[in-house]
Amino acid sequence: MMPATTGPLSMPIRTCSGCGARRPQAELLRFRAVDGILVQGAGDGRGAYACPARGCLERAIARRAFARRLRQAVEVPAGLVEALLGPAAAPAAQP
């Protein structure tokens, strides 16, 4: 299968596992399974991609999209989203 391209530079296009948006590979975070545990970063084997946005990561985890894309059961470490993006902003106090 030929990689999807965008114009003359032939940048690989990947699909976000959370929102389904198609973006250049460099704009997405890559995930892979190591001994059944989801880890972020480059490496050998099948990969799954997600936008670097809290909503996309949380949706992909909730829908078990990473397991489907990686074609294996994966455990998502507690605090993975916070480790990648920092803690969620606290809701604004209402007067």
Side-chain angles (χ1 to χ4, degrees):
M1 184 163 97
M2 298 293 293
T5 60
T6 58
L9 297 180
S10 299
M11 293 182 74
I13 301 294
R14 300 291 183 257
T15 301
C16 173
S17 298
C19 69
R22 293 174 47 93
R23 299 178 187 254
Q25 182 177 353
E27 293 180 11
L28 300 173
L29 298 174
R30 183 180 192 273
F31 294 88
R32 59 191 173 99
V34 176
D35 297 325
I37 298 174
L38 187 70
V39 296
Q40 191 268 328
D44 292 337
R46 184 172 296 277
Y49 293 82
C51 296
R54 183 173 304 281
C56 287
L57 291 171
E58 289 174 348
R59 185 172 182 190
I61 292 167
R63 294 174 54 217
R64 292 184 270 213
F66 289 123
R68 277 196 311 277
R69 297 278 169 109
L70 296 171
R71 296 183 184 178
Q72 65 177 294
V74 293
E75 178 185 334
V76 179
L80 176 70
V81 175
E82 288 75 19
L84 294 172
L85 303 177
Q94 296 185 5

